Structure formats: C-alpha cells, structure tokens
Amino acid sequence: MVTAKRVPTALAATAAAALTVTATTPSTAAPARPAACGAGYVGLTFDDGPSGNTTKLLGALRQNGLRATMFNQGQYAAANPSLVRAQVTAGMWVANHSYTHPHLTRLSQAQIDSEISRTQQAIANAGGGTPRLFRPPYGETNATVKSVAARYGLTEIIWHVDSQDWNGASTESIVQSVARLTNGQIILMHDWPANTLAAVPRIAQTLASRGLCAGTISPQTGRAVAP
C-alpha cells in the first residue's frame, strides 16, 4: 500500500513512474530472447541417420553454429552406436524414426510397437538417451500409430516445410525451403543427401538474416522453442 504522505514533486513523479512500470510488467514474463533470435526459433530435422554422411553433417552443423533434431532409424543406431554418441556430443537431439522405416499404417499394432520400442532401445543402448520425439516414416500416421507412440512417452512430430532433399532437390532449393520457415515451424531434411550437406552454411546465413535461431522441439507443443 502507498501511504498518503506528501513527498516532493520530483520524487512523486519518480514514484509514479515506478508504480506504472510495476503494474504493467507481469512477474511471470518470459525471459527476453537473445537479440540474434528476435524472430524466434525453428526446428531443423534430419531423418534416416546415422549414416556414412553423419560425421560430415555434424561437422558442418557445428561449424555453422546450428543444432538439430536427428530422427534416427533404429537399425542404423544399433549398427553405428558411435555415430549416435557423436550426435549427442555435437549438441544434437536424438529422436525415434522407427526401426526399419516401414509404412506403419499398413502394420498391425504389435508390429508398430516393435518398430517403435526397438528403436527406443537401440538409441538408448547407443548412448543417445531415451527419445521423447517420434516421426513416423513418410509422415504416415493414424490413431493406432499415435497411441503406440504415446505409450512410450513419445510426441509425434511431422513437419511444416518439406525440403524435398529426398527427391533430389538442389542446394539452392533446400535453402529456399528454409527461408519459408517462421517461428516455431519445423523443416524436414535428411541425413544422407550431398546437397543438404552443401546447404548447411547457407541455411545458417539465411536464418541469421531473418533473426531466427535453430531450436529444440518441445514434446509438449510439438513446435520449435529455445534450447
């Protein structure tokens, strides 16, 4: 409570200004974004690793100050555990992309369960932690796929922009796809295309020029947020 005590005019003006600021600034305000990330965060995702290209991709991402979510296939994680550990060491987030990349919507519930559970185990065994995100192959999903994923504590993540790198998109086209992203959105890319690797430096430049940063994907909202 402010008392009715008379104060000098200058002090009264200062006090009033302080009260105004206090009244309009909520105590639960989110922390300010770094200036470089003023326009928000986007999710860079790379599917189908780890592969023979993973080491180069990680090097390019780190050199350009980017972090990404790696949607690994379980069969490749099991065969290349050192590359899963390298993903984590490079500051990437490791996620589940099924074990053999089948069309899950054509499988039985037991088969879907096997695809998801074996990948969770393979990634954990390789040192990638327990994934919290799941991307169904081809982006194909239904109620059964969603329910099985949820049983393992996984949030299903599709994408907002498809880079088409899996379909032979040029480096220029991949960069242009990244340029379409807005705050919170996610782009689909892949671990193995040479053009995607070549695009990484320009992806970093494009995001920086638009005030965007590469963020993590929230299991709560399924959108990109600050790491």
Side-chain angles (χ1 to χ4, degrees):
M1 177 180 294
V2 178
T3 64
K5 181 179 178 181
R6 181 180 296 276
V7 294
T9 302
L11 290 179
T14 301
L19 286 173
T20 300
V21 171
T22 301
T24 58
T25 305
S27 60
T28 56
R33 289 177 177 146
C37 309
Y41 296 85
V42 298
L44 305 180
T45 68
F46 295 88
D47 288 11
D48 295 349
S51 72
N53 195 53
T54 299
T55 299
K56 290 181 180 179
L57 177 60
L58 294 176
L61 290 170
R62 290 193 68 178
Q63 185 174 353
N64 288 278
L66 297 176
R67 299 178 74 183
T69 301
M70 319 302 283
F71 283 97
N72 287 341
Q73 288 188 40
Q75 60 180 339
Y76 299 146
N80 303 283
S82 63
L83 291 179
V84 176
R85 290 192 294 275
Q87 291 172 335
V88 174
T89 299
M92 309 303 152
W93 300 282
V94 181
N96 186 321
H97 192 43
S98 82
Y99 202 84
T100 63
H101 206 275
H103 293 276
L104 291 178
T105 55
R106 303 177 188 175
L107 303 184
S108 68
Q109 182 170 321
Q111 289 172 316
I112 296 169
D113 191 290
S114 176
E115 284 285 332
I116 292 176
S117 64
R118 285 191 297 158
T119 303
Q120 289 292 91
Q121 193 62 54
I123 289 173
N125 288 347
T130 301
R132 298 181 64 193
L133 306 177
F134 168 68
R135 172 169 287 160
Y138 314 104
E140 297 173 350
T141 189
N142 58 22
T144 304
V145 172
K146 290 177 185 292
S147 67
V148 174
R151 188 181 308 152
Y152 289 95
L154 293 163
T155 299
E156 188 177 87
I157 303 296
I158 310 296
W159 53 82
H160 299 93
V161 176
D162 181 353
S163 71
Q164 291 283 315
D165 63 347
W166 55 272
N167 197 30
S170 66
T171 295
E172 176 65 28
S173 179
I174 294 167
V175 173
Q176 289 176 358
S177 294
V178 171
R180 301 196 334 248
L181 291 171
T182 59
N183 181 38
Q185 291 191 331
I186 295 163
I187 186 168
L188 169 68
M189 295 181 284
H190 291 76
D191 174 280
W192 48 268
N195 287 345
T196 303
L197 175 62
V200 170
R202 291 182 58 196
I203 288 172
Q205 294 166 2
T206 297
L207 293 179
S209 71
R210 299 181 60 226
L212 291 166
C213 291
T216 189
I217 299 173
S218 166
Q220 286 73 42
T221 66
R223 293 178 63 82
V225 296

